[in-house]
């Protein structure tokens, strides 16, 4: 399995974006700016928030405020952000999460933002320099905070521009109800001091050893901090909520609460953004409960950090199309001007869904996520017989056939589900899963959207964690990774309530909340889908007993997991030929 794991990649992005000293960022001068870096804002429940406010000298009228709210406290970065906003005709403000920088309170990630950010907005509109309007922007945690603010709609908040926005409980620390070891050290990183614990965060050897020692030991997942030797109380608190329950639901809008969100929204994310599942879940839920939502999307070949900048010429071995390289920051303030100053709409926003087609060097525009391509391609699992290559067929088998797979969950010599797209282009795929290959495409075709479908399976246990990876197999033998999915079967229908499988019964398992992508397929290319069970050091191991997975140990493995996949199973993709 590729050792460039989800966790290491994501941590480096957080560090480089928010946490390391921002060498080279210009510090604003007091000759041209009115700077307050010691603002303290009191909350109704007695808490304190700190903030930076920068105004351009000479501004003789009230202005709208561009608000950036972050847990990654860094005064130099905050001054830079606020100054950039001031230079673009706004009051620039960066607020710190409760407990950070000048706040004397304890740090409680995720739990206070929905109300605290509205306290900051209420404070802003009371200031003599405010025109009573606020726009928010920023990525990752800052993206989450913007959506948290909309849980209790504030009339002064006129728009949000969330990049790669996180949803607590849906992206990290768990994805589709599977807890990941990826960002294990993040809680220490943001709670150990008033700024960020950079040294600890970058102790990659320590975290790699912890992860591998836990894997080898077969211990329960809730013992992983004991293996490290340092208690992780935040992890333990999160593990107590394996459902997407009221704890997680209290942090961002949930279901009908999205119907109340009527402000314009611009979401920005990337095909290879580790947090894409969260970023696009906000969009899907917003349109589900508010079909008339004024919500735009920009998505292209970016990772978590790249989406916040507008891309890089090369991404994990893939030479990015030149047209995909944009400036996220410029588009953000063009959007603010459009919404708050009656300016022109950013030229890229020709429709609600704006996406770059990898390999075609063009942007496409669609009115909805399910309209990214002109038609739908449904591909069924196919087996021609024993010992033959498994296929993806546009024709459903007249009579279901069954593909058998066995996974020994107690085995520690074999990994299953190598899904992380680094590098994006490979000469071979290292997998112990089942490989399904389509017929070659006779002509150019673009394939876009979410990897989704229905799996029909029978197993000898009560649960399993499923992994799926989608590739383009080019005529030259290269594999180009397009999308992947990771999810727990017992939560596939409802993330808030677990429904165990019945051993020996046929189960229908919907596949959703995977990675959205868009790619022009070469003539002669095939689609390859790898279907597997998730069993590796990078996530908790689901032994299938039906108990809380965090409490299961290798002693619960029992007999190997035996699966029969039905050829009634299929995947669906959007396609234009």
């Amino acid at each position: 399995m590729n050792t460039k794991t989800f966790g290491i990649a994501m941590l480096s992005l957080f560090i480089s974006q928010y946490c390391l000293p921002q060498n080279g960022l210009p510090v604003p001068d007091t000759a041209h700016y009115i700077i307050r870096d010691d603002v303290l804002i009191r909350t109704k429940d007695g808490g304190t928030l700190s903030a930076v406010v920068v105004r351009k000298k000479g501004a003789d009228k009230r202005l709208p405020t561009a608000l950036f709210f972050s847990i990654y406290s860094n005064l130099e970065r905050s001054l830079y952000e606020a100054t950039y906003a001031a230079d673009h005709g706004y009051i620039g403000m960066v607020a710190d999460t409760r407990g950070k920088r000048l706040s004397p309170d304890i740090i409680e990630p995720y739990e206070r933002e929905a109300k605290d950010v509205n306290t900051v907005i209420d404070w802003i509109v009371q200031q003599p320099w405010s025109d009573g309007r606020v726009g928010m922007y920023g990525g990752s945690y800052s993206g989450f905070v913007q959506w948290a603010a909309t849980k209790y709609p504030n009339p002064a908040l006129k728009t949000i521009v969330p990049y790669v926005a996180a949803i607590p409980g849906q992206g990290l620390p768990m994805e589709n109800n599977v807890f990941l070891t990826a960002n294990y050290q993040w809680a220490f990183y943001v709670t150990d001091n008033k700024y960020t614990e950079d040294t600890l965060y970058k102790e990659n050897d320590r975290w790699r050893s912890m992860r591998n020692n836990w894997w080898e030991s077969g211990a329960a997942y809730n013992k992983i901090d004991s293996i490290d030797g340092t208690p992780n109380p935040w992890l333990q608190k999160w593990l107590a909520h394996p459902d997407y329950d009221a704890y997680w639901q209290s942090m961002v809008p949930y279901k009908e609460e999205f119907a109340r969100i009527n402000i314009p929204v611009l979401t920005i994310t990337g095909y290879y953004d580790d947090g894409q599942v969260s970023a696009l879940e906000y969009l899907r839920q917003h349109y589900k409960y508010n079909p008339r939502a004024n919500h735009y999307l920009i998505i292209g070949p970016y990772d978590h950090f790249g989406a916040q900048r507008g891309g890089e010429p090369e991404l994990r071995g893939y030479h990015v199309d030149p047209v995909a390289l944009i400036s996220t920051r410029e588009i953000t303030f063009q959007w603010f001007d459009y919404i708050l100053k009656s300016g022109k709409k950013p030229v890229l926003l020709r429709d609600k869904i704006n996406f770059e087609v990898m390999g075609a060097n063009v942007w496409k525009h669609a009115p909805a996520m399910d309209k990214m391509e002109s038609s739908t391609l449904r591909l069924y699992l196919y087996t021609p017989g024993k010992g033959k290559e498994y296929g993806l067929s546009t024709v459903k088998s007249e009579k279901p056939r069954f593909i058998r797979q066995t996974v020994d969950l107690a085995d520690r010599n074999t990994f299953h589900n190598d899904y992380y797209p680094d590098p994006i282009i490979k000469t071979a795929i290292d997998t112990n899963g089942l490989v399904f290959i389509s017929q070659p495409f006779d002509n150019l075709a673009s394939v876009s959207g979410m990897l989704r479908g229905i799996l029909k399976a029978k197993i000898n246990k009560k649960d399993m964690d499923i992994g799926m990876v989608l590739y383009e197999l080019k005529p030259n033998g290269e594999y180009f990774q397009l999308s992947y999915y990771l999810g727990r079967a017992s939560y596939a229908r409802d993330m808030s309530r677990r429904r165990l499988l019945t051993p020996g019964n046929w189960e229908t398992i919907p596949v959703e909340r995977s990675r959205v992508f868009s790619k022009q397929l070469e003539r002669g290319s095939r689609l390859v889908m790898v279907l597997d069970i998730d069993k590796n050091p990078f996530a908790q191991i689901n032994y299938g007993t039906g108990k809380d997975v965090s409490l299961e140990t290798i002693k619960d493995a029992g007999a190997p997991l035996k699966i029969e996949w039905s050829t009634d199973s299929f995947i669906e993709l959007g396609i234009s030929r």
Side-chain angles (χ1 to χ4, degrees):
M1 186 171 190
N2 195 325
T3 56
K4 295 180 179 179
T5 67
F6 172 78
I8 293 174
M10 194 166 191
L11 302 189
S12 66
L13 299 179
F14 277 126
I15 292 169
S16 59
Q17 174 71 356
Y18 297 109
C19 315
L20 295 179
Q22 302 295 313
N23 296 327
L25 292 182
V27 176
D29 62 278
T30 55
H32 299 92
Y33 303 94
I34 301 170
I35 302 169
R36 284 196 60 192
D37 62 8
D38 59 352
V39 173
L40 296 177
I41 301 170
R42 296 285 288 178
T43 66
K44 292 181 180 179
D45 61 359
T48 302
L49 307 171
S50 66
V52 168
V53 176
V54 175
R55 293 183 287 144
K56 198 135 188 201
K57 285 188 175 180
D60 57 358
K61 61 180 181 179
R62 295 170 181 257
L63 295 172
T65 300
L67 173 61
F68 186 101
F69 195 115
S70 178
I71 198 170
Y72 304 107
S73 297
N74 182 308
L75 181 57
E76 188 177 3
R77 171 61 187 255
S78 296
L79 290 168
Y80 176 74
E81 286 287 355
T83 303
Y84 187 93
D87 285 339
H88 284 73
Y90 295 85
I91 304 299
M93 182 168 180
V94 178
D96 303 300
T97 295
R98 187 187 297 216
K100 304 297 284 189
R101 207 164 68 87
L102 304 180
S103 170
D105 304 319
I106 62 173
I107 304 164
E108 299 170 297
Y110 303 131
E111 296 186 357
R112 300 280 188 172
E113 271 65 10
K115 293 184 177 179
D116 281 357
V117 68
N118 278 292
T119 297
V120 172
I121 294 171
D122 289 340
W123 180 88
I124 289 172
V125 299
Q126 295 170 9
Q127 305 310 305
W129 37 257
S130 169
D131 74 351
R133 297 179 299 159
V134 177
M136 293 186 69
Y137 71 103
S140 198
Y141 196 95
S142 298
F144 144 70
V145 172
Q146 294 168 67
W147 283 108
T150 67
K151 190 172 182 71
Y152 305 105
N154 192 311
L157 182 61
K158 301 302 183 181
T159 187
I160 60 173
V161 187
Y163 328 140
V164 296
I167 299 181
Q170 287 195 27
L172 285 174
M174 61 180 178
E175 178 169 327
N176 293 330
N177 302 92
V178 179
F179 278 91
L180 308 173
T181 58
N183 221 14
Y184 174 88
Q185 58 268 51
W186 182 80
F188 300 124
Y189 177 59
V190 297
T191 63
D192 272 11
N193 64 50
K194 295 294 181 181
Y195 292 89
T196 50
E197 186 52 76
D198 298 330
T199 301
L200 176 147
Y201 203 60
K202 294 183 290 183
E203 292 179 358
N204 290 332
D205 289 343
R206 170 184 173 182
W207 309 120
R208 187 180 302 109
S209 295
M210 177 202 70
R211 186 172 58 240
N212 291 339
N213 289 340
W214 164 76
W215 160 260
E216 294 289 346
S217 73
Y221 190 76
N222 71 345
K223 300 297 183 184
I224 195 169
D225 54 352
S226 300
I227 290 172
D228 173 55
T230 303
N232 189 337
W234 280 103
L235 173 69
Q236 297 300 330
K237 185 172 188 177
W238 296 331
L239 289 177
H241 300 277
D243 304 337
Y244 189 73
D245 61 12
Y247 174 73
W248 304 110
Q249 294 166 17
S250 69
M251 298 174 184
V252 294
Y254 184 64
K255 291 190 173 180
E256 288 79 7
E257 291 173 338
F258 279 97
R260 304 198 302 258
I261 303 172
N262 293 310
I263 60 173
V265 179
L266 172 58
T267 287
I268 302 175
T269 186
Y271 302 141
Y272 301 97
D273 165 28
D274 300 322
Q276 189 214 95
V277 167
S278 294
L280 294 186
E281 185 68 8
Y282 286 119
L283 183 145
R284 287 190 290 268
Q285 294 296 309
H286 194 189
Y287 272 111
K288 178 179 179 179
Y289 291 100
N290 185 353
R292 301 181 67 181
N294 188 12
H295 192 151
Y296 286 77
L297 171 69
I298 295 174
I299 186 169
Y302 318 125
D303 61 11
H304 193 71
F305 181 35
Q308 298 175 69
R309 294 177 53 179
E312 300 289 346
E314 183 166 321
L315 175 63
R316 304 177 193 170
Y318 166 56
H319 296 291
V320 173
D321 294 336
V323 74
L325 302 178
I326 59 176
S327 172
T328 300
R329 188 183 296 274
E330 287 182 11
I331 290 173
T332 296
F333 282 86
Q334 290 170 7
W335 174 266
F336 280 168
D337 289 349
Y338 168 58
I339 299 300
L340 299 171
K341 297 183 178 181
S342 300
K344 293 182 179 180
K345 183 193 299 184
V347 294
L348 187 56
L349 303 181
R350 291 175 52 188
D351 212 327
K352 292 298 175 66
I353 308 301
N354 304 276
F355 58 102
E356 201 271 334
V357 184
M358 295 184 291
N361 196 33
V362 297
W363 285 89
K364 283 188 177 181
H365 314 274
M369 289 285 290
D370 60 358
K371 303 294 185 183
M372 291 174 69
E373 299 290 8
S374 59
S375 59
T376 299
L377 175 66
R378 177 175 288 191
L379 295 170
Y380 291 91
L381 304 191
Y382 174 72
T383 175
K386 186 176 180 180
K388 301 290 181 67
E389 184 179 79
Y390 300 128
L392 293 171
S393 174
T394 56
V395 179
K396 181 179 178 181
S397 299
E398 291 185 7
K399 183 178 180 181
R401 303 183 72 169
F402 311 110
I403 301 162
R404 292 176 174 83
Q405 183 180 17
T406 300
V407 179
D408 184 355
L409 297 167
D411 169 48
R412 288 297 177 268
N413 295 314
T414 305
F415 291 3
H416 283 261
N417 195 29
D418 180 9
Y419 66 84
Y420 194 71
D422 188 3
I424 292 170
I425 301 172
K426 306 174 183 179
T427 56
I429 50 176
D430 179 15
T431 180
N432 291 300
L434 303 174
V435 180
F436 299 84
I437 305 177
S438 76
Q439 291 297 309
F441 287 80
D442 295 332
N443 297 294
L444 292 177
S446 60
V447 180
S448 304
M450 180 192 300
L451 169 63
R452 63 195 318 162
I454 296 290
L455 296 175
K456 295 189 177 182
K458 180 168 64 175
I459 69 174
N460 62 334
K461 295 180 183 289
K462 296 180 180 180
D463 205 1
M464 58 181 173
D465 291 349
I466 299 168
M468 299 169 67
V469 188
L470 185 70
Y471 299 92
E472 174 193 9
L473 175 55
K474 297 182 176 183
N476 66 2
E478 290 181 341
Y479 292 84
F480 189 108
Q481 185 163 338
L482 303 172
S483 179
Y484 69 87
Y485 167 82
L486 172 65
R488 182 156 294 160
S490 58
Y491 287 103
R493 294 186 179 277
D494 184 351
M495 290 189 297
S496 68
R497 184 175 64 88
R498 193 179 189 193
R499 186 187 69 84
L500 294 174
L501 282 60
T502 302
N505 280 13
W506 285 103
E507 302 281 355
T508 299
I509 303 165
V511 173
E512 296 181 341
R513 292 185 297 276
S514 69
R515 265 57 184 182
V516 167
F517 71 96
S518 181
K519 175 73 165 61
Q520 179 173 277
L521 305 183
E522 296 181 14
R523 185 179 290 107
S525 284
R526 301 167 180 247
L527 290 174
V528 175
M529 194 269 285
V530 179
L531 176 61
D532 207 350
I533 298 302
D534 197 65
K535 190 200 76 167
N536 52 62
F538 312 117
Q540 57 184 179
I541 307 298
N542 186 348
Y543 292 99
T545 66
K547 296 190 299 186
D548 184 338
V549 175
S550 293
L551 304 179
E552 291 180 314
T553 74
I554 199 169
K555 295 179 181 178
D556 292 304
L561 172 63
K562 293 184 181 295
I563 315 156
E564 290 184 62
W565 302 103
S566 169
T567 55
D568 283 346
S569 303
F570 63 84
I571 62 171
E572 287 185 335
L573 303 164
I575 188 168
S576 295
R577 298 182 186 275

